Amino acid sequence: MATALGVFLALSPLAAVSALPLFILCVVYWRFVSLGSVAAAAAMPLLIYFLWAPGHGPPIVIDLGTLAIAGW
């Protein structure tokens, strides 16, 4: 997960920081760090798509790459 976080921080720092509340919420509520990690990683493709740049979507390579990382 640390490697995926590093990649997501390099691609879109705003999206990576936006996934942090989801991670914290899952860890606090269910007390499973792994569940929080999976939930945050699963949300990253959608977060990167919407937070890439206002009015512009990311390139298709970024979309496919984040989907592959999240699905791994």
Side-chain angles (χ1 to χ4, degrees):
M1 295 282 38
T3 303
L5 177 62
V7 170
F8 290 138
L9 279 171
L11 289 176
S12 179
L14 181 61
V17 171
S18 297
L20 187 62
L22 178 63
F23 171 78
I24 292 171
L25 182 71
C26 287
V27 171
V28 168
Y29 189 75
W30 284 289
R31 299 188 185 270
F32 287 109
V33 174
S34 59
L35 180 63
S37 299
V38 169
M44 284 306 297
L46 189 62
L47 288 171
I48 286 178
Y49 183 78
F50 285 117
L51 298 175
W52 183 259
H56 302 288
I60 192 71
V61 172
I62 300 296
D63 284 335
L64 294 176
T66 56
L67 283 171
I69 293 169
W72 184 264

Short mmCIF file of all heavy atoms in Angstrom, two decimals:
data_model
loop_
_atom_site.label_atom_id
_atom_site.label_comp_id
_atom_site.label_asym_id
_atom_site.label_seq_id
_atom_site.Cartn_x
_atom_site.Cartn_y
_atom_site.Cartn_z
N MET A 1 0.81 -1.18 0.00
CA MET A 1 0.00 0.00 0.00
C MET A 1 0.87 1.25 0.00
O MET A 1 0.45 2.26 -0.55
CB MET A 1 -0.92 0.02 1.22
CG MET A 1 -1.95 -1.06 1.26
SD MET A 1 -3.40 -1.03 0.33
CE MET A 1 -3.54 -0.50 -1.15
N ALA A 2 2.03 1.18 0.61
CA ALA A 2 2.90 2.36 0.65
C ALA A 2 3.38 2.74 -0.75
O ALA A 2 3.45 3.92 -1.09
CB ALA A 2 4.08 2.11 1.56
N THR A 3 3.66 1.75 -1.58
CA THR A 3 4.09 2.03 -2.94
C THR A 3 2.95 2.64 -3.74
O THR A 3 3.15 3.60 -4.49
CB THR A 3 4.57 0.74 -3.62
OG1 THR A 3 5.62 0.18 -2.84
CG2 THR A 3 5.06 1.01 -5.03
N ALA A 4 1.75 2.10 -3.57
CA ALA A 4 0.58 2.66 -4.26
C ALA A 4 0.33 4.09 -3.81
O ALA A 4 0.03 4.97 -4.62
CB ALA A 4 -0.65 1.80 -4.02
N LEU A 5 0.48 4.36 -2.52
CA LEU A 5 0.30 5.72 -2.02
C LEU A 5 1.33 6.65 -2.64
O LEU A 5 1.00 7.78 -3.02
CB LEU A 5 0.41 5.75 -0.49
CG LEU A 5 0.32 7.13 0.15
CD1 LEU A 5 -1.03 7.78 -0.13
CD2 LEU A 5 0.57 7.03 1.64
N GLY A 6 2.56 6.21 -2.76
CA GLY A 6 3.59 7.03 -3.39
C GLY A 6 3.26 7.35 -4.84
O GLY A 6 3.44 8.49 -5.28
N VAL A 7 2.75 6.38 -5.56
CA VAL A 7 2.36 6.60 -6.96
C VAL A 7 1.19 7.57 -7.02
O VAL A 7 1.18 8.51 -7.83
CB VAL A 7 2.01 5.27 -7.65
CG1 VAL A 7 1.38 5.50 -9.00
CG2 VAL A 7 3.24 4.40 -7.77
N PHE A 8 0.20 7.37 -6.16
CA PHE A 8 -0.97 8.25 -6.17
C PHE A 8 -0.60 9.67 -5.75
O PHE A 8 -1.15 10.63 -6.27
CB PHE A 8 -2.07 7.69 -5.28
CG PHE A 8 -2.72 6.44 -5.82
CD1 PHE A 8 -3.02 5.39 -4.98
CD2 PHE A 8 -3.03 6.32 -7.16
CE1 PHE A 8 -3.61 4.25 -5.47
CE2 PHE A 8 -3.62 5.18 -7.66
CZ PHE A 8 -3.92 4.14 -6.82
N LEU A 9 0.33 9.80 -4.80
CA LEU A 9 0.79 11.14 -4.41
C LEU A 9 1.51 11.84 -5.56
O LEU A 9 1.38 13.05 -5.73
CB LEU A 9 1.71 11.06 -3.19
CG LEU A 9 1.03 10.94 -1.84
CD1 LEU A 9 2.05 10.65 -0.76
CD2 LEU A 9 0.26 12.21 -1.51
N ALA A 10 2.26 11.09 -6.34
CA ALA A 10 2.94 11.68 -7.48
C ALA A 10 1.97 12.07 -8.59
O ALA A 10 2.13 13.10 -9.24
CB ALA A 10 3.98 10.70 -8.03
N LEU A 11 0.94 11.26 -8.79
CA LEU A 11 -0.03 11.55 -9.85
C LEU A 11 -0.96 12.69 -9.48
O LEU A 11 -1.19 13.60 -10.28
CB LEU A 11 -0.86 10.30 -10.16
CG LEU A 11 -0.17 9.17 -10.88
CD1 LEU A 11 -1.10 7.99 -11.01
CD2 LEU A 11 0.31 9.63 -12.23
N SER A 12 -1.53 12.62 -8.30
CA SER A 12 -2.52 13.61 -7.88
C SER A 12 -2.51 13.72 -6.36
O SER A 12 -3.23 12.98 -5.68
CB SER A 12 -3.90 13.22 -8.39
OG SER A 12 -4.86 14.16 -7.98
N PRO A 13 -1.72 14.65 -5.83
CA PRO A 13 -1.65 14.79 -4.37
C PRO A 13 -3.01 15.11 -3.73
O PRO A 13 -3.32 14.63 -2.65
CB PRO A 13 -0.67 15.94 -4.16
CG PRO A 13 0.07 16.08 -5.43
CD PRO A 13 -0.82 15.56 -6.51
N LEU A 14 -3.83 15.90 -4.41
CA LEU A 14 -5.13 16.26 -3.86
C LEU A 14 -6.02 15.03 -3.72
O LEU A 14 -6.72 14.87 -2.71
CB LEU A 14 -5.81 17.31 -4.75
CG LEU A 14 -7.18 17.80 -4.29
CD1 LEU A 14 -7.06 18.45 -2.92
CD2 LEU A 14 -7.75 18.76 -5.31
N ALA A 15 -6.00 14.15 -4.69
CA ALA A 15 -6.80 12.92 -4.61
C ALA A 15 -6.28 12.00 -3.51
O ALA A 15 -7.07 11.38 -2.79
CB ALA A 15 -6.79 12.21 -5.95
N ALA A 16 -4.98 11.91 -3.36
CA ALA A 16 -4.41 11.05 -2.32
C ALA A 16 -4.77 11.56 -0.93
O ALA A 16 -5.12 10.78 -0.04
CB ALA A 16 -2.90 10.96 -2.48
N VAL A 17 -4.71 12.86 -0.74
CA VAL A 17 -5.08 13.44 0.55
C VAL A 17 -6.59 13.30 0.77
O VAL A 17 -7.03 13.13 1.91
CB VAL A 17 -4.62 14.91 0.63
CG1 VAL A 17 -5.17 15.61 1.85
CG2 VAL A 17 -3.10 14.98 0.61
N SER A 18 -7.37 13.36 -0.28
CA SER A 18 -8.82 13.22 -0.17
C SER A 18 -9.24 11.80 0.22
O SER A 18 -10.33 11.61 0.76
CB SER A 18 -9.50 13.59 -1.49
OG SER A 18 -9.25 14.93 -1.80
N ALA A 19 -8.41 10.82 -0.04
CA ALA A 19 -8.71 9.44 0.35
C ALA A 19 -8.41 9.19 1.83
O ALA A 19 -8.88 8.20 2.39
CB ALA A 19 -7.91 8.46 -0.50
N LEU A 20 -7.67 10.07 2.46
CA LEU A 20 -7.30 9.90 3.86
C LEU A 20 -8.51 9.85 4.80
O LEU A 20 -8.55 8.98 5.67
CB LEU A 20 -6.32 10.99 4.28
CG LEU A 20 -5.71 10.87 5.65
CD1 LEU A 20 -4.89 9.59 5.76
CD2 LEU A 20 -4.83 12.07 5.94
N PRO A 21 -9.51 10.71 4.66
CA PRO A 21 -10.68 10.59 5.56
C PRO A 21 -11.41 9.25 5.42
O PRO A 21 -11.89 8.70 6.41
CB PRO A 21 -11.59 11.75 5.14
CG PRO A 21 -10.69 12.73 4.50
CD PRO A 21 -9.60 11.93 3.86
N LEU A 22 -11.47 8.72 4.22
CA LEU A 22 -12.09 7.41 4.02
C LEU A 22 -11.29 6.33 4.75
O LEU A 22 -11.88 5.47 5.42
CB LEU A 22 -12.19 7.09 2.53
CG LEU A 22 -12.77 5.73 2.18
CD1 LEU A 22 -14.21 5.62 2.65
CD2 LEU A 22 -12.67 5.50 0.69
N PHE A 23 -9.98 6.38 4.64
CA PHE A 23 -9.13 5.44 5.34
C PHE A 23 -9.34 5.52 6.85
O PHE A 23 -9.54 4.51 7.53
CB PHE A 23 -7.65 5.70 4.99
CG PHE A 23 -6.68 4.92 5.82
CD1 PHE A 23 -6.44 3.59 5.55
CD2 PHE A 23 -6.02 5.52 6.89
CE1 PHE A 23 -5.54 2.87 6.32
CE2 PHE A 23 -5.12 4.82 7.66
CZ PHE A 23 -4.88 3.48 7.37
N ILE A 24 -9.32 6.73 7.37
CA ILE A 24 -9.48 6.93 8.81
C ILE A 24 -10.86 6.47 9.28
O ILE A 24 -10.99 5.82 10.33
CB ILE A 24 -9.22 8.40 9.19
CG1 ILE A 24 -7.74 8.73 8.98
CG2 ILE A 24 -9.64 8.70 10.62
CD1 ILE A 24 -7.40 10.19 9.11
N LEU A 25 -11.88 6.79 8.52
CA LEU A 25 -13.24 6.38 8.88
C LEU A 25 -13.36 4.86 8.96
O LEU A 25 -13.94 4.33 9.91
CB LEU A 25 -14.24 6.93 7.86
CG LEU A 25 -15.70 6.63 8.13
CD1 LEU A 25 -16.18 7.42 9.33
CD2 LEU A 25 -16.53 6.95 6.91
N CYS A 26 -12.82 4.15 7.99
CA CYS A 26 -12.87 2.69 8.01
C CYS A 26 -12.09 2.11 9.18
O CYS A 26 -12.55 1.17 9.82
CB CYS A 26 -12.33 2.13 6.70
SG CYS A 26 -13.43 2.35 5.30
N VAL A 27 -10.92 2.67 9.46
CA VAL A 27 -10.10 2.15 10.56
C VAL A 27 -10.78 2.41 11.90
O VAL A 27 -10.81 1.53 12.77
CB VAL A 27 -8.69 2.76 10.52
CG1 VAL A 27 -7.90 2.41 11.77
CG2 VAL A 27 -7.95 2.30 9.28
N VAL A 28 -11.35 3.58 12.08
CA VAL A 28 -11.99 3.90 13.35
C VAL A 28 -13.26 3.08 13.55
O VAL A 28 -13.52 2.56 14.63
CB VAL A 28 -12.28 5.42 13.45
CG1 VAL A 28 -13.21 5.75 14.60
CG2 VAL A 28 -10.99 6.20 13.56
N TYR A 29 -14.06 2.96 12.50
CA TYR A 29 -15.35 2.28 12.64
C TYR A 29 -15.21 0.76 12.72
O TYR A 29 -15.81 0.12 13.57
CB TYR A 29 -16.26 2.67 11.47
CG TYR A 29 -17.67 2.18 11.63
CD1 TYR A 29 -18.53 2.82 12.52
CD2 TYR A 29 -18.14 1.10 10.91
CE1 TYR A 29 -19.83 2.38 12.67
CE2 TYR A 29 -19.44 0.65 11.06
CZ TYR A 29 -20.28 1.29 11.94
OH TYR A 29 -21.56 0.85 12.10
N TRP A 30 -14.44 0.16 11.79
CA TRP A 30 -14.33 -1.30 11.76
C TRP A 30 -13.06 -1.84 12.41
O TRP A 30 -12.92 -3.05 12.57
CB TRP A 30 -14.42 -1.81 10.32
CG TRP A 30 -15.83 -1.78 9.81
CD1 TRP A 30 -16.83 -2.60 10.20
CD2 TRP A 30 -16.37 -0.90 8.84
NE1 TRP A 30 -17.97 -2.28 9.52
CE2 TRP A 30 -17.72 -1.24 8.67
CE3 TRP A 30 -15.85 0.14 8.09
CZ2 TRP A 30 -18.56 -0.58 7.79
CZ3 TRP A 30 -16.68 0.80 7.21
CH2 TRP A 30 -18.02 0.44 7.08
N ARG A 31 -12.10 -0.99 12.73
CA ARG A 31 -10.84 -1.36 13.38
C ARG A 31 -9.99 -2.34 12.56
O ARG A 31 -9.33 -3.21 13.11
CB ARG A 31 -11.10 -1.92 14.77
CG ARG A 31 -11.77 -0.94 15.68
CD ARG A 31 -11.83 -1.46 17.10
NE ARG A 31 -12.58 -0.56 17.94
CZ ARG A 31 -12.05 0.46 18.62
NH1 ARG A 31 -10.77 0.71 18.51
NH2 ARG A 31 -12.80 1.22 19.36
N PHE A 32 -10.05 -2.18 11.26
CA PHE A 32 -9.21 -2.98 10.36
C PHE A 32 -8.43 -2.02 9.46
O PHE A 32 -9.01 -1.34 8.61
CB PHE A 32 -10.05 -3.90 9.46
CG PHE A 32 -10.64 -5.08 10.18
CD1 PHE A 32 -12.00 -5.15 10.42
CD2 PHE A 32 -9.83 -6.12 10.60
CE1 PHE A 32 -12.56 -6.22 11.07
CE2 PHE A 32 -10.37 -7.21 11.26
CZ PHE A 32 -11.74 -7.26 11.50
N VAL A 33 -7.13 -1.97 9.63
CA VAL A 33 -6.30 -1.12 8.79
C VAL A 33 -6.34 -1.60 7.35
O VAL A 33 -6.37 -0.80 6.41
CB VAL A 33 -4.85 -1.07 9.33
CG1 VAL A 33 -3.95 -0.31 8.39
CG2 VAL A 33 -4.83 -0.44 10.71
N SER A 34 -6.37 -2.91 7.17
CA SER A 34 -6.40 -3.45 5.80
C SER A 34 -7.67 -3.04 5.07
O SER A 34 -7.63 -2.74 3.87
CB SER A 34 -6.27 -4.97 5.83
OG SER A 34 -7.32 -5.54 6.59
N LEU A 35 -8.80 -3.00 5.76
CA LEU A 35 -10.05 -2.56 5.13
C LEU A 35 -9.96 -1.09 4.74
O LEU A 35 -10.41 -0.71 3.65
CB LEU A 35 -11.22 -2.80 6.08
CG LEU A 35 -12.59 -2.38 5.56
CD1 LEU A 35 -12.96 -3.20 4.32
CD2 LEU A 35 -13.64 -2.54 6.63
N GLY A 36 -9.38 -0.28 5.59
CA GLY A 36 -9.20 1.13 5.26
C GLY A 36 -8.29 1.32 4.07
O GLY A 36 -8.54 2.16 3.20
N SER A 37 -7.24 0.52 3.99
CA SER A 37 -6.31 0.60 2.85
C SER A 37 -6.99 0.20 1.56
O SER A 37 -6.82 0.86 0.53
CB SER A 37 -5.11 -0.31 3.10
OG SER A 37 -4.41 0.08 4.23
N VAL A 38 -7.75 -0.87 1.60
CA VAL A 38 -8.44 -1.34 0.39
C VAL A 38 -9.51 -0.33 -0.03
O VAL A 38 -9.66 -0.04 -1.23
CB VAL A 38 -9.05 -2.74 0.63
CG1 VAL A 38 -9.99 -3.13 -0.48
CG2 VAL A 38 -7.95 -3.76 0.79
N ALA A 39 -10.24 0.22 0.92
CA ALA A 39 -11.28 1.20 0.59
C ALA A 39 -10.68 2.46 -0.02
O ALA A 39 -11.20 2.99 -1.02
CB ALA A 39 -12.09 1.55 1.83
N ALA A 40 -9.59 2.94 0.55
CA ALA A 40 -8.94 4.13 0.00
C ALA A 40 -8.36 3.86 -1.38
O ALA A 40 -8.48 4.69 -2.29
CB ALA A 40 -7.85 4.60 0.95
N ALA A 41 -7.75 2.69 -1.57
CA ALA A 41 -7.20 2.35 -2.89
C ALA A 41 -8.31 2.17 -3.92
O ALA A 41 -8.15 2.56 -5.08
CB ALA A 41 -6.37 1.07 -2.80
N ALA A 42 -9.44 1.62 -3.51
CA ALA A 42 -10.54 1.44 -4.44
C ALA A 42 -11.17 2.77 -4.84
O ALA A 42 -11.70 2.91 -5.95
CB ALA A 42 -11.60 0.53 -3.82
N ALA A 43 -11.11 3.75 -3.97
CA ALA A 43 -11.69 5.06 -4.27
C ALA A 43 -10.76 5.93 -5.12
O ALA A 43 -11.21 6.91 -5.72
CB ALA A 43 -12.01 5.79 -2.97
N MET A 44 -9.49 5.59 -5.20
CA MET A 44 -8.53 6.44 -5.89
C MET A 44 -8.83 6.67 -7.37
O MET A 44 -8.69 7.80 -7.83
CB MET A 44 -7.11 5.88 -5.72
CG MET A 44 -6.53 6.14 -4.35
SD MET A 44 -6.55 7.86 -3.82
CE MET A 44 -5.50 8.59 -5.03
N PRO A 45 -9.23 5.67 -8.15
CA PRO A 45 -9.51 5.98 -9.56
C PRO A 45 -10.60 7.05 -9.73
O PRO A 45 -10.46 7.95 -10.55
CB PRO A 45 -9.96 4.64 -10.15
CG PRO A 45 -9.31 3.62 -9.29
CD PRO A 45 -9.30 4.23 -7.91
N LEU A 46 -11.63 6.96 -8.93
CA LEU A 46 -12.70 7.94 -9.00
C LEU A 46 -12.23 9.31 -8.51
O LEU A 46 -12.54 10.34 -9.12
CB LEU A 46 -13.89 7.45 -8.19
CG LEU A 46 -15.18 8.24 -8.33
CD1 LEU A 46 -15.67 8.18 -9.77
CD2 LEU A 46 -16.24 7.68 -7.40
N LEU A 47 -11.48 9.33 -7.42
CA LEU A 47 -10.97 10.59 -6.90
C LEU A 47 -10.01 11.25 -7.89
O LEU A 47 -10.07 12.47 -8.10
CB LEU A 47 -10.26 10.36 -5.56
CG LEU A 47 -11.16 10.05 -4.37
CD1 LEU A 47 -10.33 9.62 -3.17
CD2 LEU A 47 -12.02 11.24 -4.03
N ILE A 48 -9.13 10.47 -8.49
CA ILE A 48 -8.20 11.04 -9.46
C ILE A 48 -8.96 11.56 -10.68
O ILE A 48 -8.64 12.62 -11.21
CB ILE A 48 -7.13 10.01 -9.86
CG1 ILE A 48 -6.13 9.86 -8.72
CG2 ILE A 48 -6.40 10.43 -11.14
CD1 ILE A 48 -5.05 8.84 -8.96
N TYR A 49 -9.99 10.85 -11.10
CA TYR A 49 -10.76 11.30 -12.26
C TYR A 49 -11.41 12.66 -11.99
O TYR A 49 -11.36 13.55 -12.83
CB TYR A 49 -11.83 10.27 -12.62
CG TYR A 49 -12.60 10.65 -13.86
CD1 TYR A 49 -12.05 10.46 -15.11
CD2 TYR A 49 -13.86 11.22 -13.76
CE1 TYR A 49 -12.73 10.83 -16.24
CE2 TYR A 49 -14.55 11.60 -14.88
CZ TYR A 49 -14.00 11.40 -16.13
OH TYR A 49 -14.68 11.78 -17.25
N PHE A 50 -12.01 12.83 -10.81
CA PHE A 50 -12.71 14.07 -10.53
C PHE A 50 -11.81 15.20 -10.05
O PHE A 50 -12.15 16.37 -10.20
CB PHE A 50 -13.82 13.83 -9.50
CG PHE A 50 -15.01 13.13 -10.08
CD1 PHE A 50 -15.38 11.89 -9.62
CD2 PHE A 50 -15.74 13.71 -11.09
CE1 PHE A 50 -16.46 11.24 -10.16
CE2 PHE A 50 -16.83 13.07 -11.65
CZ PHE A 50 -17.20 11.83 -11.17
N LEU A 51 -10.67 14.88 -9.46
CA LEU A 51 -9.79 15.91 -8.91
C LEU A 51 -8.54 16.15 -9.75
O LEU A 51 -7.63 16.85 -9.29
CB LEU A 51 -9.40 15.52 -7.48
CG LEU A 51 -10.56 15.41 -6.50
CD1 LEU A 51 -10.06 14.91 -5.15
CD2 LEU A 51 -11.29 16.73 -6.35
N TRP A 52 -8.46 15.59 -10.93
CA TRP A 52 -7.26 15.74 -11.77
C TRP A 52 -7.01 17.21 -12.08
O TRP A 52 -5.98 17.76 -11.75
CB TRP A 52 -7.43 14.94 -13.06
CG TRP A 52 -6.23 14.98 -13.94
CD1 TRP A 52 -6.07 15.74 -15.05
CD2 TRP A 52 -5.04 14.23 -13.79
NE1 TRP A 52 -4.84 15.51 -15.60
CE2 TRP A 52 -4.19 14.59 -14.84
CE3 TRP A 52 -4.60 13.29 -12.87
CZ2 TRP A 52 -2.92 14.04 -15.01
CZ3 TRP A 52 -3.34 12.75 -13.02
CH2 TRP A 52 -2.52 13.12 -14.09
N ALA A 53 -7.92 17.85 -12.75
CA ALA A 53 -7.85 19.28 -13.05
C ALA A 53 -9.27 19.75 -13.31
O ALA A 53 -10.03 19.04 -13.97
CB ALA A 53 -6.97 19.53 -14.26
N PRO A 54 -9.62 20.91 -12.82
CA PRO A 54 -11.00 21.38 -13.02
C PRO A 54 -11.34 21.50 -14.50
O PRO A 54 -10.66 22.16 -15.26
CB PRO A 54 -11.00 22.76 -12.36
CG PRO A 54 -9.86 22.73 -11.40
CD PRO A 54 -8.84 21.81 -12.00
N GLY A 55 -12.37 20.80 -14.89
CA GLY A 55 -12.83 20.84 -16.28
C GLY A 55 -12.11 19.91 -17.23
O GLY A 55 -12.44 19.86 -18.40
N HIS A 56 -11.11 19.20 -16.76
CA HIS A 56 -10.34 18.30 -17.63
C HIS A 56 -10.21 16.94 -16.95
O HIS A 56 -9.94 16.85 -15.77
CB HIS A 56 -8.93 18.84 -17.88
CG HIS A 56 -8.92 20.19 -18.50
ND1 HIS A 56 -9.28 20.41 -19.81
CD2 HIS A 56 -8.62 21.41 -17.98
CE1 HIS A 56 -9.19 21.70 -20.08
NE2 HIS A 56 -8.79 22.33 -18.98
N GLY A 57 -10.39 15.90 -17.73
CA GLY A 57 -10.18 14.55 -17.22
C GLY A 57 -8.73 14.14 -17.42
O GLY A 57 -8.02 14.70 -18.25
N PRO A 58 -8.29 13.16 -16.67
CA PRO A 58 -6.91 12.68 -16.85
C PRO A 58 -6.77 11.92 -18.17
O PRO A 58 -7.76 11.45 -18.73
CB PRO A 58 -6.68 11.76 -15.66
CG PRO A 58 -8.04 11.32 -15.26
CD PRO A 58 -8.97 12.45 -15.60
N PRO A 59 -5.55 11.78 -18.66
CA PRO A 59 -5.35 10.96 -19.87
C PRO A 59 -5.78 9.51 -19.62
O PRO A 59 -5.80 9.04 -18.48
CB PRO A 59 -3.83 11.04 -20.10
CG PRO A 59 -3.37 12.22 -19.33
CD PRO A 59 -4.32 12.39 -18.19
N ILE A 60 -6.11 8.82 -20.68
CA ILE A 60 -6.59 7.44 -20.57
C ILE A 60 -5.56 6.53 -19.91
O ILE A 60 -5.92 5.59 -19.21
CB ILE A 60 -7.04 6.90 -21.95
CG1 ILE A 60 -7.81 5.59 -21.81
CG2 ILE A 60 -5.87 6.72 -22.88
CD1 ILE A 60 -9.16 5.73 -21.21
N VAL A 61 -4.28 6.82 -20.11
CA VAL A 61 -3.23 6.02 -19.49
C VAL A 61 -3.30 6.13 -17.97
O VAL A 61 -3.13 5.13 -17.26
CB VAL A 61 -1.84 6.47 -20.01
CG1 VAL A 61 -0.72 5.81 -19.25
CG2 VAL A 61 -1.72 6.23 -21.49
N ILE A 62 -3.58 7.32 -17.47
CA ILE A 62 -3.71 7.52 -16.02
C ILE A 62 -4.93 6.78 -15.51
O ILE A 62 -4.90 6.13 -14.46
CB ILE A 62 -3.78 9.02 -15.68
CG1 ILE A 62 -2.53 9.76 -16.15
CG2 ILE A 62 -4.03 9.23 -14.19
CD1 ILE A 62 -1.26 9.31 -15.48
N ASP A 63 -6.05 6.87 -16.24
CA ASP A 63 -7.26 6.15 -15.84
C ASP A 63 -7.00 4.65 -15.75
O ASP A 63 -7.35 4.01 -14.75
CB ASP A 63 -8.40 6.39 -16.85
CG ASP A 63 -9.03 7.75 -16.69
OD1 ASP A 63 -8.96 8.31 -15.58
OD2 ASP A 63 -9.61 8.24 -17.68
N LEU A 64 -6.42 4.08 -16.78
CA LEU A 64 -6.17 2.64 -16.80
C LEU A 64 -5.12 2.24 -15.75
O LEU A 64 -5.25 1.19 -15.11
CB LEU A 64 -5.72 2.20 -18.19
CG LEU A 64 -6.78 2.33 -19.29
CD1 LEU A 64 -6.19 1.96 -20.64
CD2 LEU A 64 -8.01 1.52 -18.98
N GLY A 65 -4.12 3.07 -15.55
CA GLY A 65 -3.10 2.78 -14.56
C GLY A 65 -3.65 2.78 -13.14
O GLY A 65 -3.33 1.91 -12.34
N THR A 66 -4.48 3.78 -12.83
CA THR A 66 -5.04 3.81 -11.48
C THR A 66 -6.03 2.68 -11.26
O THR A 66 -6.11 2.14 -10.16
CB THR A 66 -5.73 5.16 -11.19
OG1 THR A 66 -6.71 5.42 -12.18
CG2 THR A 66 -4.72 6.29 -11.14
N LEU A 67 -6.75 2.30 -12.29
CA LEU A 67 -7.64 1.14 -12.16
C LEU A 67 -6.83 -0.13 -11.93
O LEU A 67 -7.21 -0.98 -11.11
CB LEU A 67 -8.51 0.98 -13.40
CG LEU A 67 -9.69 1.94 -13.50
CD1 LEU A 67 -10.33 1.83 -14.88
CD2 LEU A 67 -10.70 1.66 -12.42
N ALA A 68 -5.71 -0.27 -12.62
CA ALA A 68 -4.87 -1.46 -12.45
C ALA A 68 -4.24 -1.49 -11.05
O ALA A 68 -4.21 -2.54 -10.41
CB ALA A 68 -3.77 -1.48 -13.51
N ILE A 69 -3.78 -0.34 -10.57
CA ILE A 69 -3.19 -0.30 -9.24
C ILE A 69 -4.24 -0.59 -8.17
O ILE A 69 -3.99 -1.35 -7.23
CB ILE A 69 -2.52 1.06 -8.98
CG1 ILE A 69 -1.31 1.23 -9.87
CG2 ILE A 69 -2.12 1.22 -7.52
CD1 ILE A 69 -0.73 2.64 -9.87
N ALA A 70 -5.42 -0.01 -8.32
CA ALA A 70 -6.48 -0.23 -7.34
C ALA A 70 -6.98 -1.68 -7.37
O ALA A 70 -7.36 -2.22 -6.34
CB ALA A 70 -7.65 0.71 -7.61
N GLY A 71 -6.95 -2.30 -8.51
CA GLY A 71 -7.42 -3.67 -8.63
C GLY A 71 -6.39 -4.71 -8.23
O GLY A 71 -6.72 -5.89 -8.03
N TRP A 72 -5.16 -4.30 -8.13
CA TRP A 72 -4.09 -5.24 -7.80
C TRP A 72 -4.27 -5.71 -6.42
O TRP A 72 -4.17 -6.65 -5.84
CB TRP A 72 -2.74 -4.56 -7.96
CG TRP A 72 -1.60 -5.48 -7.74
CD1 TRP A 72 -0.91 -5.65 -6.59
CD2 TRP A 72 -1.01 -6.38 -8.69
NE1 TRP A 72 0.07 -6.59 -6.76
CE2 TRP A 72 0.04 -7.05 -8.04
CE3 TRP A 72 -1.26 -6.67 -10.00
CZ2 TRP A 72 0.82 -8.00 -8.68
CZ3 TRP A 72 -0.48 -7.60 -10.63
CH2 TRP A 72 0.55 -8.25 -9.98
#
